């Protein structure tokens, strides 16, 4: 942590003390400690901890540890199984990018369902990070796309355009957020602190790719289909009233695994990789294929390229 | 000590009045309570109880918010003549106009709060304690300018009425700089709100520089029109007589602002429909419907129609000088602007979505009840502020007399 950051943290602590928040919180915690029932005590302390949890980037390493442990307790109570919440940082010399071969995509939407399972999206409200558009040949006007195509695919005279978060280098959503609840990580992935988001949905209005989804109600994930390997900034279960989005499966790709959507794709249309690695497949594609990006006129600089053979 | 006495006396005055006054307050409080109950449903179940969706992610709450920022800003239309041009008639009602601004500001804040998915985290917006993304986020700007405007519109009238109550003359060197700031601030709150929409290149319907001037013109239509109606009620229901030249001034402002607003609407229509591009899809949806979704079509044509009727009444001297016709014109202008810059602005911004999907939106019962509740709360605040202000302005609520009593 830089000196400036730690100084910022100290000023904030002092401010909190002045406002009596810390004092109030401490006395409440002390009062809770006096309760004999261990479980009640934990619940009260955890609830208070949740209500007054600080911004993720302001947490000290110790506080991150406490926060993750509190979340694991919360999820265990809710889903009756052990859930691991990690907070792995970005890898050095890494900038993630994605390329998608439109000639290979056949509209099976296996990526969509794999994503939902991997990222613990609410099954009840059917949140999906990837939308596959079925577009008639000869146009790129998205208004001609069918979002809800059914029946056998691929349909003749149509092509398929999967759209998810484009992980813009110049993300309008980050600029829009009034409380800095969303930001770009050093590996280029735009993430959300679900515990800091106030649910104003201004980022959703700002996103030109319709990549951000809101939890309109309490998310429902059947315990048996819960992915218990989670990350604070990606697939841990969310609560109602907060935004979520594709993180390129941050919890997987930071461990050298592929994003779930690429792993699930049966046609090999998807190529994920490190843009800073000159030997990566994605770099080969960017150098050798005629690639394009969606809505380049908006100057968002997506790290998601499309191409065709 | 006298400050505490001032608050005590004002509070006492606020809850003292005829049966008619109490009946009015009770009705407003009842609507507030209905709104609160509806909000409780939304708070516990989530925003799923609204008509909003990932496709149309803002609705009637933000529409009302946008309209009301304009209403708040419009107080400046009496502040300028009262304090800069020393217009005595405007001076006599300027504190009431500032009361409208306070009520409108509070309603704005409530409409934004009920739109939040996590309202208990509002403290994240407090600078330093939370983490306000200023100056990056236009929403952060809006938080700053709205709170500042509310603060100015509470402190200035407070200072002036308190001196009146104490039988002292307010020091112009103290309040005049504040008035100047408030004038610029009023324009800024509505400009910032326009920027909130303009600053989204991904939403071509909003991404037009004309939105800023249009917001100001429509605000200076609906705001003065609202004040004409409020002063009419005050004039009839209380012993405070509103100078007819105030109504004339406000009617004239409404007339001019509405003409400018309609001219700018026409310019937009030309741009969208003379040589339509892919970006005209939202306007197409608004005025003619798209993919079978045409709920807004009758509303927007209706709004334009009643705005035109209003502008005709306001432009013809003979018609405008008839106070009943003037009242009708004001109602039409307010409703027209409410539709045009409320739902008529927010919903098409989201339709079609950036991925070209056309998705319907209709406010649910919960959303409507919450909205009515907030409006009732705002009118309640204005009623109370007006009641107390009038008592002080007419020198019937004074420090000494309260001591004798």
């Amino acid at each position: 942590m830089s000196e400036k950051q730690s100084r910022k943290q100290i000023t904030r602590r002092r401010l909190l003390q002045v406002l009596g928040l810390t004092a109030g919180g401490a006395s409440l915690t002390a009062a809770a400690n006096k309760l004999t029932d261990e479980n009640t005590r934990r619940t009260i302390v955890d609830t208070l901890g949740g209500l007054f949890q600080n911004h993720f980037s302001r947490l000290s390493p110790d506080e991150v540890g406490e926060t993750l442990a509190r979340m694991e307790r919360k999820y265990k109570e809710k889903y009756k199984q052990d859930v691991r919440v990690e907070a792995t940082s970005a890898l050095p010399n890494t900038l993630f990018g994605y390329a998608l071969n439109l000639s290979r995509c056949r509209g099976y939407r296996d990526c969509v369902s794999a994503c939902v399972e991997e990222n613990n999206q609410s099954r009840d409200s059917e949140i999906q990070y990837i939308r596959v558009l079925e577009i008639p040949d000869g146009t790129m006007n998205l208004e001609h796309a069918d979002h809800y195509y059914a029946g056998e695919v691929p349909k003749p005279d149509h092509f398929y355009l999967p759209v998810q978060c484009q992980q813009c280098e110049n993300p309008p959503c980050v600029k829009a957020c009034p409380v800095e609840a969303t930001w770009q990580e050093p590996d280029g992935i735009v993430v959300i602190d679900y515990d800091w988001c106030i649910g104003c949905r201004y980022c959703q209005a700002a996103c030109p790719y319709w990549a951000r989804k809101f939890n309109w109600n309490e998310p429902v994930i059947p315990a048996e289909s819960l992915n218990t390997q989670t990350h604070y900034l990606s697939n841990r279960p969310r609560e109602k009233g907060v935004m979520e989005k594709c993180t390129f499966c941050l919890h997987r790709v930071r461990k050298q695994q592929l994003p779930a959507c690429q792993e699930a794709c049966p046609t090999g249309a998807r190529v994920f990789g490190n843009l800073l690695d000159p030997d990566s497949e994605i770099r080969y594609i960017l150098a050798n294929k005629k690639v394009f990006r969606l809505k380049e006129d908006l100057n968002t600089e997506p790290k998601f390229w499309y191409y065709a053979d | 000590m006298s400050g505490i006495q001032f608050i005590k006396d004002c509070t006492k005055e606020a809850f003292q009045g005829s049966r008619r006054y109490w009946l009015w307050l009770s009705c407003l409080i009842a609507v507030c309570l209905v709104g609160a109950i509806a909000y409780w449903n939304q708070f516990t179940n989530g925003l799923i109880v609204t008509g909003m969706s990932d496709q149309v992610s803002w609705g009637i709450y933000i529409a009302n918010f946008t309209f009301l920022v304009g209403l708040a800003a419009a107080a400046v239309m009496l502040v300028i003549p009262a304090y800069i041009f020393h217009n005595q008639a405007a001076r006599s009602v300027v504190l009431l106009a500032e009361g409208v601004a306070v009520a409108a500001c509070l309603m704005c804040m409530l409409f934004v709060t009920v739109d939040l998915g996590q309202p208990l985290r509002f403290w994240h917006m407090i600078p330093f304690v939370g983490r306000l993304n200023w100056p990056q986020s236009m929403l952060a700007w809006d938080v700053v300018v709205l709170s500042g405007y509310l603060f100015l519109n509470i402190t200035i009238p407070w200072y002036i009425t308190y001196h009146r109550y104490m039988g002292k003359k307010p020091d112009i060197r103290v309040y005049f700089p504040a008035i100047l700031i408030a004038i610029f601030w009023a324009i800024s709150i509505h400009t910032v709100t326009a920027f909130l929409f303009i600053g989204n290149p991904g939403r071509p319907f909003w991404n037009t520089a004309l939105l800023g001037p249009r917001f100001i013109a429509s605000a200076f239509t609906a705001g003065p029109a609202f004040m004409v109606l409020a002063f009419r009620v005050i004039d009839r229901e209380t012993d405070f007589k509103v100078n007819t030249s105030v109504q004339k001034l406000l009617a004239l402002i409404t007339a001019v602002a509405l003409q400018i607003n309609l001219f700018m609407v026409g310019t937009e229509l030309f741009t969208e429909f003379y040589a339509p591009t892919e970006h005209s899809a939202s306007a197409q949806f608004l005025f003619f419907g798209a993919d079978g979704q045409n709920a807004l079509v009758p509303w927007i044509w209706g709004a334009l129609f009643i705005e035109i009727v209003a502008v005709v009444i306001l432009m013809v001297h003979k018609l405008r000088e008839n106070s009943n016709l003037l009242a009708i014109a004001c109602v039409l202008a307010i409703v027209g602007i409410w539709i045009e810059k409320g739902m008529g602005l927010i919903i098409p911004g989201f339709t079609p979505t950036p991925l070209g999907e056309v998705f319907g939106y209709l406010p649910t019962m919960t959303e409507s009840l919450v909205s009515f509740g907030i409006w009732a709360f705002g009118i309640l605040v204005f009623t109370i502020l007006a009641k107390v202000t009038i008592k002080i302005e007419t020198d019937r609520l004074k420090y000494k007399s309260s001591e004798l009593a």
Side-chain angles (χ1 to χ4, degrees):
Chain A
M1 190 186 291
S2 74
E3 200 192 325
K4 198 182 157 199
Q5 264 179 314
S6 69
R7 214 186 300 130
K8 214 172 164 186
Q9 205 161 40
I10 291 164
T11 355
R12 187 191 158 269
R13 284 229 173 93
R14 230 173 252 151
L15 247 166
L16 270 183
Q17 274 160 3
V18 173
L19 290 165
L21 267 177
T22 308
S27 54
L28 280 171
T29 315
N33 267 321
K34 281 187 194 146
L35 290 169
T36 40
D37 182 357
E38 172 74 14
N39 280 336
T40 322
R41 187 179 69 83
R42 262 265 85 95
T43 312
I44 294 173
V45 172
D46 282 1
T47 310
L48 291 172
L51 272 175
F52 293 107
Q53 188 186 317
N54 206 340
H55 191 280
F56 185 68
S57 70
R58 275 181 184 159
L59 298 178
S60 69
D62 283 351
E63 287 169 327
V64 170
E66 283 168 28
T67 306
L68 299 184
R70 171 161 50 76
M71 280 171 183
E72 287 173 353
R73 282 196 294 276
K74 186 176 84 182
Y75 295 142
K76 175 151 193 178
E77 197 182 320
K78 189 167 177 189
Y79 298 102
K80 311 290 174 219
Q81 53 188 314
D82 288 318
V83 176
R84 178 148 172 70
V85 187
E86 294 175 341
T88 336
S89 311
L91 303 168
N93 300 318
T94 313
L95 189 67
F96 290 120
Y98 222 134
L100 198 147
N101 188 342
L102 293 176
S103 337
R104 289 210 181 169
C105 180
R106 294 169 157 260
Y108 296 144
R109 290 194 279 218
D110 284 353
C111 53
V112 179
S113 43
C115 171
V116 169
E117 278 160 33
E118 177 65 36
N119 288 296
N120 288 325
Q121 277 104 310
S122 175
R123 309 299 202 270
D124 171 48
S125 51
E126 295 186 13
I127 293 180
Q128 295 169 350
Y129 296 163
I130 308 174
R131 174 139 300 191
V132 184
L133 307 183
E134 186 183 73
I135 306 176
D137 283 338
T139 179
M140 259 306 267
N141 186 339
L142 302 181
E143 277 157 46
H144 298 152
D146 186 353
H147 289 242
Y148 306 100
Y149 63 87
E152 202 176 308
V153 287
K155 268 194 205 116
D157 308 324
H158 285 77
F159 74 99
Y160 295 86
L161 179 78
V163 184
Q164 63 205 75
C165 176
Q166 310 277 302
Q167 312 293 355
C168 306
E169 266 302 277
N170 182 17
C173 52
V174 169
K175 209 165 152 186
C177 178
V179 294
E180 295 179 39
T182 185
W183 66 89
Q184 198 171 22
E185 286 277 287
D187 50 9
I189 298 176
V190 174
V191 294
I192 301 169
D193 182 347
Y194 310 120
D195 280 82
W196 193 258
C197 172
I198 58 172
C200 70
R201 309 186 299 290
Y202 192 29
C203 57
Q204 200 167 23
C207 175
Y209 304 99
W210 201 62
R212 292 181 157 251
K213 303 289 140 65
F214 186 68
N215 285 285
W216 298 93
N217 60 355
E218 192 63 45
V220 178
I221 312 163
E224 65 276 10
S225 46
L226 185 80
N227 179 0
T228 55
Q229 291 301 309
T230 73
H231 190 287
Y232 183 94
L233 295 174
S234 65
N235 64 335
R236 69 185 167 98
R238 277 74 65 184
E239 57 189 303
K240 76 166 188 282
V242 301
M243 297 303 306
E244 56 179 274
K245 63 182 273 295
C246 157
T247 61
F248 278 176
C249 284
L250 173 144
H251 52 286
R252 293 170 61 97
V253 299
R254 281 184 183 174
K255 289 184 193 159
Q256 315 284 2
Q257 291 170 306
L258 291 173
C261 48
Q262 171 165 1
E263 212 171 69
C265 179
T267 65
R270 290 170 168 269
V271 177
F272 179 83
N274 180 5
L275 297 167
L276 301 183
D277 174 7
D279 300 323
S280 61
E281 193 185 350
I282 187 159
R283 282 288 292 271
Y284 176 84
I285 288 164
L286 295 185
N288 295 290
K289 301 283 180 183
K290 303 288 172 257
V291 297
F292 73 94
R293 296 181 291 182
L294 291 181
K295 307 195 187 196
E296 275 198 89
D297 52 327
L298 298 181
N299 198 30
T300 49
E301 302 289 347
K303 290 194 290 291
F304 201 109
W305 288 266
Y306 295 90
Y307 65 103
D309 283 330
Chain B
M1 276 316 287
S2 55
I4 296 169
Q5 190 63 39
F6 177 59
I7 298 171
K8 266 192 192 165
D9 280 354
C10 289
T11 317
K12 217 169 119 190
E13 175 59 32
F15 297 102
Q16 209 171 58
S18 61
R19 270 182 67 175
R20 236 173 120 74
Y21 178 70
W22 268 105
L23 193 67
W24 173 238
L25 287 197
S26 316
C27 288
L28 291 173
I29 292 168
V31 181
C32 286
L33 286 177
V34 171
I37 293 164
Y39 181 67
W40 181 251
N41 172 33
Q42 182 191 304
F43 183 82
T44 47
N45 294 309
L47 285 153
I48 189 91
V49 300
T50 70
M52 293 184 278
S53 57
D54 280 327
Q55 284 84 351
V56 183
S57 49
W58 279 346
I60 202 163
Y61 294 152
I62 299 298
N64 273 306
F65 160 79
T66 312
F67 175 82
L68 284 165
V69 178
L71 193 56
V76 80
M77 281 288 120
L78 280 176
V79 170
I80 293 174
Y83 295 108
I84 308 290
F85 301 133
H86 304 289
N87 177 322
Q88 282 311 310
R91 192 82 183 233
S92 68
V93 290
V94 71
L95 291 171
L96 297 176
E98 283 162 327
V100 172
V102 170
C105 259
L106 289 172
M107 286 190 266
C108 286
M109 288 172 167
L110 282 172
F111 271 116
V112 173
T113 309
V114 297
D115 194 59
L116 293 181
Q118 287 283 345
L120 291 181
R121 294 183 186 163
F122 74 94
W123 62 276
H124 294 180
M125 285 188 279
I126 303 169
F128 306 108
V129 181
R131 202 160 172 168
L132 191 72
N133 188 13
W134 188 87
Q136 285 277 309
S137 168
M138 288 321 293
L139 205 52
W141 273 89
D142 229 343
V143 170
V144 172
V145 293
L146 269 181
S147 334
Y149 193 65
L150 181 62
F151 176 78
L152 285 169
N153 276 290
I154 289 175
T155 47
I156 298 171
W158 179 287
Y159 178 80
I160 291 171
T161 47
Y162 177 67
H163 276 77
R164 185 106 189 198
Y165 166 85
M166 295 300 288
K168 290 189 236 164
K169 207 172 148 45
D171 188 348
I172 191 158
R173 286 169 305 176
V174 174
Y175 72 83
F176 194 69
I179 299 266
L180 281 183
I181 296 171
I183 290 170
F184 286 103
W185 211 283
I187 305 294
S188 83
I189 59 166
H190 217 32
T191 312
V192 165
T193 308
F195 288 175
L196 185 93
F197 295 103
I198 298 174
N200 296 297
R203 307 276 173 187
F205 188 69
W206 298 337
N207 189 222
T208 157
L210 194 59
L211 206 60
R214 258 185 83 181
F215 267 30
I216 302 288
S218 56
F220 291 169
T221 306
F226 182 83
M227 281 185 262
V228 166
L229 297 174
F231 294 161
R232 187 182 154 97
V233 173
I234 288 171
D235 193 73
R236 292 186 164 196
E237 296 293 326
T238 74
D239 47 12
F240 183 79
K241 289 303 148 216
V242 179
N243 196 318
T244 46
S245 63
V246 172
Q247 298 294 56
K248 277 187 182 165
L249 176 70
L250 289 170
L252 197 67
I253 295 169
T254 311
V256 174
L258 185 51
Q259 287 171 58
I260 298 173
N261 185 59
L262 280 168
F263 168 70
M264 287 195 277
V265 171
T267 317
E268 289 272 32
L269 289 176
F270 174 81
T271 316
E272 301 283 22
F273 293 111
Y274 179 72
T277 67
E278 210 176 301
H279 290 172
S280 309
S282 299
Q284 186 75 33
F285 157 76
L286 174 62
F287 284 93
F288 302 105
D291 286 5
Q293 297 291 344
N294 46 19
L296 277 173
V297 175
W299 288 89
I300 194 66
W301 287 109
L304 286 186
F305 176 73
I306 62 176
E307 278 181 38
I308 289 167
V309 173
V311 88
V312 170
I313 298 176
L314 290 166
M315 276 162 70
V316 179
H317 286 276
K318 257 206 179 134
L319 300 178
R320 187 179 63 221
E321 272 160 21
N322 176 325
S323 70
N324 290 332
L325 275 178
L326 174 64
I328 291 170
C330 288
V331 171
L332 295 179
I334 293 169
V335 175
I337 298 288
W338 186 85
I339 296 168
E340 177 211 311
K341 84 187 281 196
M343 302 285 271
L345 176 84
I346 309 300
I347 312 307
F350 289 101
T351 323
T353 68
L355 297 187
E357 186 183 356
V358 174
F359 201 85
Y361 164 79
L362 274 181
T364 58
M365 184 56 96
T366 303
E367 252 172 313
S368 309
L369 292 178
V370 170
S371 302
F372 280 123
I374 295 174
W375 271 98
F377 175 77
I379 295 170
L380 180 69
V381 168
F382 176 68
T383 305
I384 289 172
L385 287 177
K387 172 113 193 314
V388 176
T389 308
I390 288 170
K391 264 282 161 33
I392 295 172
E393 280 281 280
T394 50
D395 291 327
R396 280 176 293 173
L397 188 66
K398 295 194 88 72
Y399 184 52
K400 280 233 174 73
S401 63
S402 65
E403 249 187 353
L404 288 172

